[in-house]
Amino acid sequence: MRYVSPNLRLLFSPPLRPTLSVPLFISKPNPKPFSFSTILASSSSKRPRSFSNLSRRSNSTFKDRKGGGRDMTMEETTGQSKDSSSSFGLNKRRAEGRDKSDRPKKNPQLKERKLNPTNTIAYVQILGTGMDTQDTSPSVLLFFDKQRFIFNAGEGLQRFCTEHKVKLSKIDHIFLSRVCSETAGGLPGLLLTLAGMGEEGYSVKIWGPSDLNFLVGAMKSFIPHATMVHTQSFGQSPISDAAENVTAPIKASDPIVLVKDEVVKISAILLQPHCLQQSQIKPGEMSVLYICELPELMGKFDPKKAAALGLKAGPKYSELQHGKSVKSDRLDIMVHPADVMDPPVPGPIVILVDCPTESHLQELLSIECLNGYYTDVSSHLTESTKMVNCVIHLSPASVVSSPNYQKWMKKFGSAQHIMAGHGKKTLEVPILKSSARVTSRLNYLCPQFFPASGFLSLQHLNYSTSDDISSSEGPTLKICESIPAENLLKFTLRPYAQLGLDRSHIPTPMGQSQVVDELHLEIPEIADAAQHVREFWQELKESREVLPTSNDNGVMIEEPWLTEDTLPGCLENIRRDDLEIVLLGTGSSQPSKYRNVSSVYINLFSKGSLLLDCGEGTLGQLKRRYGVDGADKAIRNLKCVWISHIHADHHTGLARVLALRRDLLKGVPHEPLLVIGPRQLKRYLDAYQRLEDLDMQFLDCRSTTKASWDTFVRDGASNNDGSSPESPRHSNAKNESMQEINQTLFAKGSRMQSYLWQPGSPVDHSAAYPFLKSLKKMLGEAGLEALISFPVVHCPQAFGIVLEAAERVNSVGKVIPGWKIVYSGDTRPCPELVDACRGATVLIHEATFEDGLVDEAIARNHSTTKEAIEVGNSAGAYRIVLTHFSQRYPKIPVFDETHMHKTCIAFDMMSINIADLPVLPKVLPYLKLLFRNEVAVDESDDILDALV
């Protein structure tokens, strides 16, 4: 018999079934060690004060973000309590999309700033988004006392700013060096967040080359137009007029002044591929070089010089300091400002350059208007020559390392060069330290469900800059003096005495061993807990030889998994390379410090993979889980992406994933990736593809419902006898199918109907047939029997999904049923979801709110923890995984353990192998131990701190 420590024995005496409803957290960290059993044996039933406060909040950014509040019209099923397991309330107007009039109309405004021309503090700072994962462009912050400017807004910018307390509401302007998913993937979420703040919301000015019009046109599919009225493009205007266009220069390479006030002048110089006429330039090919010039400061007034020239102290001193000449009081001379003032302090100049290709480099070398900024000995220096203090290079290493680029860099003389393109020094060194720390702690406790990050620890810290920027001319070419960008690296512009680099804000790296040492000090019994968790897998291995599987005689048994000695038939002889479910994002509404927004990666190993939802930052999460190279392999092997609904937190990472797959497979024979989603998503993707090709095909979720699949199969049989999809026979079958759907699922008498179709939006089955045929082939290659979308109650065109694996035959010829995964998307509990979950192996269900916030869950058409569990229990699901938690629960949500015997809560990067499902619920109490000292505070406070 294995050894169990005294601290753990009491809790884990079999059967493992919590019997007390206890508080998840204590109000204050307890400095004294206490046993794990003491935690769960507490008899206190009071909720911590911080959670009770959360229940009463009504001004949360997240509550208003999608437009739902408690004042919205609610419609509940009658005749039964809303706590009944068979009847739940819902917000019908929201589900039908008729709740816009219920929301307060907002008109986001630009903030008015009182500028400070003498800015005591000014600097540029590297915001390291994507520096560890290479999934997106870093951002650059230009900071003044009263103004902020950001260059590029890739995915993860919001999350980064929350982590490092960069106040986004202080941002006045965002400039894009290129318009693509790499530089602008974070814009949609940022705009929605700012628009939801306060009574009217905030807005920012967005600047970019003329391609910006295509992005704005695409975002209109799901972002209110009022949020984007301050968007301005420059250069030759394309056909679209979605963004206001600044007058184009006479020559494409002439500077365009965008901002000019007493604080800073920001100009843009367009870079286009060399030798291309304007008409030949494709959307997305335009790049920008930005020049930021601070005004010079007048020298210090010298009263001794004034007195020597016969001036008395008084008003004339002030006039001289304002640039006026005055007559001497004692001498018959005129006194000029230059006579009594120290030399003026020149204004610092910063240049940001994004030169994406060698073709753009040829154009860069030919720009004449930059001659006035070159100060090397070979340049013709004049009095008008301006000295550049800092050049930030967003160009890729392949371009920067070229001899011509190196020679161009030298023209700036003594300027400090910061290489912010993707380099190897910061590769896989975590930028989001808070979430990395939590992931490391989880990995120590349970490495089976929380594998070590794909990052290669800190082995790159001693990486040499010269390795990153190598020259094709060999050692004879001297590399221009430069440094690699690091997260939060600053270059001080004011005060002038401190002009130069400032490394004091660069975060100190933290290794896995340091995290574990801290954990041992904080929770001494964690070592015993980790050992106990490891022994679960040994027990599982031993039990597989004796545990019976569920009957396969076709007779359904309600709640077949209530006994832990019964395994579903699909787990018999299961292999570890059959299926892995990776929770890439488990938060709701917007990214936060500890949880990214929704995405589930279905890893079928050698048979490919699927993505269920793809919120902002999904690609970065994949790279954190599998490493940069491993994530690239995962993207290449994607079979399909499925999107549940049009809300931004479920799809704004899609363009970046598709763009990377396009680049990875360039020159390799392949099929466009199939994207399945609501019809509003197609409008967005169609508009976005005017900006850059996404190499994808789209299929409406409505074409993958069970009724649609049945019609497809029936018509396929009809086609065998000569009819075509356009024939009357096909048309009649389609109409009959539609009538059947409308008479059942969407009948008026159904109080809990899902609002799938709206008037005037018929489903064109015949147009979908080629894609359904491709999908059916893909499913076969992936070892899947079915992919079925079903309508749920959240907003118009909201869906859940069922994935069913094909049957297997074991070595003795026994047929083993395939597993079944159900993902709810965002929804209230509804009959369609319960029906879809019948006999599910795993149900992944949203649990946005705790049980005490059921009214808010109804108003916003989300589910509580208890409701999600009841759905799984009523349908006989084997395991339930809860996800999509409100940001009010920073690390672990509030839940009642009474009914958690088949349930576990999800964390970002949690990886659930199908072979480990029997162990899954047993780990939950240990997760509570890991977070026992966490004070339950609303993480929206952290996010608001970064916004306001």
Side-chain angles (χ1 to χ4, degrees):
M1 180 177 179
R2 64 177 183 161
Y3 171 74
V4 180
S5 71
N7 286 346
L8 300 174
R9 183 179 295 117
L10 175 60
L11 174 67
F12 293 106
S13 298
L16 177 64
R17 196 67 59 82
T19 59
L20 295 176
S21 176
V22 298
L24 186 58
F25 302 103
I26 56 176
S27 298
K28 295 181 180 179
N30 190 340
K32 299 179 181 180
F34 49 91
S35 71
F36 191 13
S37 57
T38 305
I39 302 171
L40 295 186
S42 169
S43 60
S44 172
S45 60
K46 294 182 180 179
R47 181 189 293 184
R49 178 181 302 177
S50 53
F51 275 125
S52 61
N53 289 341
L54 290 176
S55 301
R56 295 192 295 268
R57 293 191 179 189
S58 59
N59 59 346
S60 168
T61 300
F62 311 101
K63 182 183 299 184
D64 296 333
R65 166 77 174 271
K66 292 180 183 177
R70 292 194 178 187
D71 58 337
M72 297 176 66
T73 303
M74 298 182 196
E75 182 169 314
E76 299 176 5
T77 50
T78 58
Q80 298 185 31
S81 166
K82 61 189 174 189
D83 290 329
S84 168
S85 61
S86 62
S87 179
F88 299 90
L90 76 154
N91 185 332
K92 182 177 179 181
R93 288 175 61 82
R94 182 176 177 84
E96 293 176 325
R98 296 187 293 110
D99 62 332
K100 292 183 179 180
S101 60
D102 300 331
R103 313 172 193 175
K105 292 185 178 180
K106 293 190 175 186
N107 184 24
Q109 301 293 318
L110 294 173
K111 282 194 172 183
E112 295 185 4
R113 312 283 188 192
K114 184 178 180 181
L115 302 183
N116 177 16
T118 61
N119 285 288
T120 56
I121 300 176
Y123 56 82
V124 287
Q125 185 173 33
I126 304 297
L127 306 183
T129 54
M131 292 180 69
D132 55 345
T133 55
Q134 297 191 353
D135 65 304
T136 191
S137 170
S139 297
V140 178
L141 171 68
L142 176 59
F143 178 98
F144 296 98
D145 289 343
K146 301 293 183 180
Q147 279 187 302
R148 314 282 195 276
F149 305 88
I150 279 186
F151 296 84
N152 287 344
E155 290 185 28
L157 177 60
Q158 264 194 98
R159 194 177 187 195
F160 178 93
C161 291
T162 301
E163 168 99 3
H164 297 287
K165 294 185 169 30
V166 177
K167 296 185 181 298
L168 288 172
S169 68
K170 302 291 185 183
I171 303 300
D172 298 287
H173 301 263
I174 295 177
F175 300 89
L176 301 180
S177 64
R178 283 177 290 128
V179 185
C180 59
S181 59
E182 185 179 2
T183 59
L187 265 184
L190 177 59
L191 290 174
L192 287 169
T193 296
L194 291 174
M197 293 172 53
E199 293 184 2
E200 290 296 330
Y202 299 126
S203 185
V204 295
K205 273 196 173 182
I206 303 172
W207 302 84
S210 55
D211 305 335
L212 179 59
N213 294 285
F214 295 116
L215 178 61
V216 172
M219 290 193 300
K220 283 182 177 179
S221 302
F222 61 95
I223 296 180
H225 176 69
T227 305
M228 300 183 287
V229 295
H230 303 294
T231 304
Q232 293 184 297
S233 65
F234 48 84
Q236 183 67 37
S237 179
I239 299 175
S240 171
D241 60 352
E244 181 181 344
N245 189 263
V246 179
T247 304
I250 298 175
K251 293 172 60 178
S253 59
D254 287 346
I256 308 167
V257 178
L258 305 178
V259 176
K260 186 176 183 180
D261 54 35
E262 58 266 45
V263 172
V264 67
K265 172 185 173 183
I266 300 180
S267 305
I269 299 176
L270 292 170
L271 295 178
Q272 61 189 42
H274 191 57
C275 295
L276 286 182
Q277 299 295 325
Q278 188 69 36
S279 60
Q280 296 176 306
I281 299 176
K282 298 178 182 178
E285 290 186 337
M286 194 72 73
S287 183
V288 185
L289 180 149
Y290 289 104
I291 304 174
C292 308
E293 303 176 70
L294 279 63
E296 68 176 18
L297 296 179
M298 293 184 64
K300 187 177 180 181
F301 178 78
D302 190 339
K304 293 181 178 179
K305 291 182 179 180
L309 294 173
L311 285 173
K312 298 178 182 179
K316 291 184 179 180
Y317 279 20
S318 177
E319 292 181 48
L320 286 166
Q321 292 180 62
H322 285 84
K324 297 179 181 180
S325 299
V326 299
K327 184 173 177 57
S328 173
D329 295 317
R330 297 189 179 93
L331 303 176
D332 189 20
I333 59 172
M334 291 296 293
V335 180
H336 304 288
D339 299 330
V340 295
M341 303 287 291
D342 290 341
V345 179
I349 299 176
V350 177
I351 291 179
L352 294 95
V353 57
D354 186 350
C355 183
T357 68
E358 289 279 355
S359 182
H360 288 82
L361 176 57
Q362 296 303 311
E363 181 74 10
L364 177 63
L365 297 175
S366 66
I367 295 177
E368 297 178 359
C369 64
L370 286 176
N371 291 338
Y373 298 92
Y374 296 149
T375 56
D376 67 322
V377 293
S378 63
S379 302
H380 301 288
L381 301 181
T382 66
E383 292 185 0
S384 62
T385 299
K386 301 177 181 179
M387 178 174 289
V388 176
N389 302 93
C390 179
V391 183
I392 299 176
H393 302 266
L394 300 171
S395 311
S398 59
V399 174
V400 170
S401 62
S402 69
N404 285 335
Y405 197 97
Q406 289 289 313
K407 292 176 182 177
W408 178 76
M409 290 171 60
K410 289 183 178 180
K411 291 185 177 182
F412 293 102
S414 61
Q416 176 66 65
H417 294 275
I418 301 176
M419 318 311 293
H422 293 319
K424 294 183 179 179
K425 179 174 181 178
T426 57
L427 178 64
E428 300 181 343
V429 177
I431 297 299
L432 302 173
K433 290 182 65 175
S434 295
S435 62
R437 180 174 176 271
V438 169
T439 300
S440 294
R441 291 162 68 101
L442 288 165
N443 168 253
Y444 173 79
L445 176 65
C446 183
Q448 293 84 359
F449 287 137
F450 303 96
S453 169
F455 284 1
L456 303 179
S457 187
L458 304 177
Q459 68 179 46
H460 300 290
L461 288 181
N462 296 322
Y463 197 88
S464 170
T465 306
S466 60
D467 294 335
D468 202 18
I469 306 175
S470 57
S471 169
S472 59
E473 286 191 3
T476 58
L477 176 67
K478 186 177 184 300
I479 300 297
C480 184
E481 292 296 330
S482 61
I483 65 166
E486 295 183 71
N487 186 30
L488 299 183
L489 173 68
K490 283 184 180 180
F491 188 92
T492 302
L493 305 174
R494 299 257 167 83
Y496 191 78
Q498 299 177 16
L499 183 72
L501 292 170
D502 177 3
R503 298 178 178 272
S504 62
H505 293 82
I506 297 175
T508 303
M510 177 179 289
Q512 171 79 4
S513 60
Q514 184 179 350
V515 174
V516 172
D517 290 344
E518 289 182 356
L519 181 58
H520 282 157
L521 290 174
E522 179 185 338
I523 309 175
E525 57 269 39
I526 196 68
D528 286 340
Q531 176 61 30
H532 200 182
V533 169
R534 285 192 292 271
E535 290 171 356
F536 285 147
W537 270 262
Q538 181 60 35
E539 292 176 351
L540 177 63
K541 182 179 179 180
E542 296 170 356
S543 66
R544 286 192 187 280
E545 302 174 2
V546 296
L547 284 183
T549 56
S550 60
N551 63 340
D552 294 321
N553 57 11
V555 179
M556 184 178 134
I557 302 176
E558 188 174 356
E559 300 278 1
W561 327 123
L562 280 179
T563 66
E564 300 205 6
D565 293 334
T566 302
L567 288 177
C570 63
L571 296 186
E572 183 179 346
N573 300 127
I574 198 73
R575 295 166 52 98
R576 298 196 66 85
D577 60 356
D578 280 350
L579 168 68
E580 181 183 51
I581 303 170
V582 183
L583 286 302
L584 297 175
T586 58
S588 67
S589 188
Q590 66 191 68
S592 68
K593 259 205 299 194
Y594 301 106
R595 293 184 184 272
N596 202 52
V597 287
S598 296
S599 185
V600 181
Y601 178 67
I602 304 297
N603 185 7
L604 301 173
F605 297 93
S606 61
K607 298 177 182 178
S609 59
L610 295 86
L611 271 175
L612 311 182
D613 279 335
C614 192
E616 178 186 338
T618 291
L619 178 57
Q621 293 290 86
L622 265 176
K623 296 202 173 191
R624 292 181 181 96
R625 170 63 181 86
Y626 292 107
V628 173
D629 293 337
D632 286 350
K633 180 179 179 181
I635 295 298
R636 287 190 192 96
N637 293 333
L638 269 180
K639 297 290 188 181
C640 170
V641 178
W642 181 91
I643 304 297
S644 62
H645 62 290
I646 195 62
H647 285 161
D649 57 326
H650 291 258
H651 74 83
T652 49
L654 179 58
R656 188 74 198 101
V657 167
L658 294 175
L660 177 62
R661 180 182 182 272
R662 173 203 65 206
D663 294 340
L664 291 173
L665 294 177
K666 189 172 293 183
V668 178
H670 67 278
E671 294 292 329
L673 186 65
L674 184 62
V675 175
I676 304 173
R679 69 175 184 273
Q680 305 102 311
L681 182 65
K682 184 178 189 301
R683 290 200 294 269
Y684 165 66
L685 293 174
D686 286 347
Y688 188 91
Q689 288 202 107
R690 299 178 65 191
L691 175 62
E692 58 177 331
D693 177 35
L694 296 178
D695 191 23
M696 44 112 358
Q697 296 175 327
F698 185 84
L699 183 61
D700 195 319
C701 279
R702 297 175 298 173
S703 297
T704 60
T705 62
K706 188 176 186 304
S708 296
W709 277 113
D710 290 344
T711 302
F712 171 74
V713 172
R714 183 166 60 245
D715 289 347
S718 300
N719 289 340
N720 290 335
D721 62 17
S723 66
S724 67
E726 291 77 19
S727 67
R729 182 178 203 167
H730 172 96
S731 189
N732 290 336
K734 180 172 67 177
N735 292 334
E736 290 172 4
S737 174
M738 287 296 298
Q739 290 175 5
E740 178 183 349
I741 293 170
N742 287 326
Q743 290 172 1
T744 55
L745 191 59
F746 312 105
K748 291 183 178 180
S750 175
R751 300 279 295 179
M752 284 296 295
Q753 62 182 323
S754 297
Y755 305 97
L756 178 55
W757 276 279
Q758 297 298 314
S761 58
V763 181
D764 186 355
H765 288 286
S766 59
Y769 277 9
F771 301 111
L772 286 173
K773 187 175 181 179
S774 298
L775 175 58
K776 191 172 182 62
K777 177 183 177 184
M778 179 276 291
L779 293 175
E781 294 172 349
L784 298 177
E785 182 69 25
L787 183 158
I788 300 173
S789 302
F790 57 91
V792 294
V793 177
H794 181 58
C795 65
Q797 299 290 304
F799 296 86
I801 185 175
V802 176
L803 291 175
E804 294 186 33
E807 294 177 339
R808 297 176 287 123
V809 179
N810 66 11
S811 57
V812 297
K814 179 182 178 181
V815 177
I816 300 174
W819 46 258
K820 177 179 178 179
I821 295 176
V822 179
Y823 172 52
S824 70
D826 286 7
T827 185
R828 290 291 297 148
C830 59
E832 294 84 6
L833 176 57
V834 175
D835 289 344
C837 294
R838 299 290 181 195
T841 314
V842 181
L843 166 61
I844 306 170
H845 199 299
E846 72 117 297
T848 309
F849 296 106
E850 61 182 284
D851 298 340
L853 297 179
V854 64
D855 288 342
E856 190 165 347
I858 292 172
R860 297 181 57 189
N861 280 343
H862 283 297
S863 299
T864 65
T865 301
K866 180 180 179 181
E867 289 172 335
I869 295 172
E870 287 178 347
V871 168
N873 285 341
S874 64
Y878 175 60
R879 290 291 180 254
I880 305 168
V881 178
L882 303 181
T883 185
H884 196 267
F885 302 111
S886 167
Q887 304 296 5
R888 70 186 72 213
Y889 316 118
K891 297 178 183 177
I892 191 167
V894 177
F895 57 88
D896 180 355
E897 292 178 80
T898 306
H899 303 290
M900 299 290 282
H901 58 277
K902 63 168 70 172
T903 304
C904 195
I905 56 176
F907 294 83
D908 282 16
M909 306 298 170
M910 189 176 191
S911 302
I912 305 171
N913 193 287
I914 189 170
D916 298 332
L917 287 179
V919 176
L920 185 62
K922 299 181 181 181
V923 176
L924 185 58
Y926 296 89
L927 298 177
K928 282 186 57 177
L929 171 67
L930 192 64
F931 296 106
R932 76 176 186 193
N933 293 335
E934 302 294 340
V935 179
V937 294
D938 192 340
E939 191 172 348
S940 60
D941 290 340
D942 288 336
I943 296 177
L944 290 174
D945 285 343
L947 291 171
V948 181

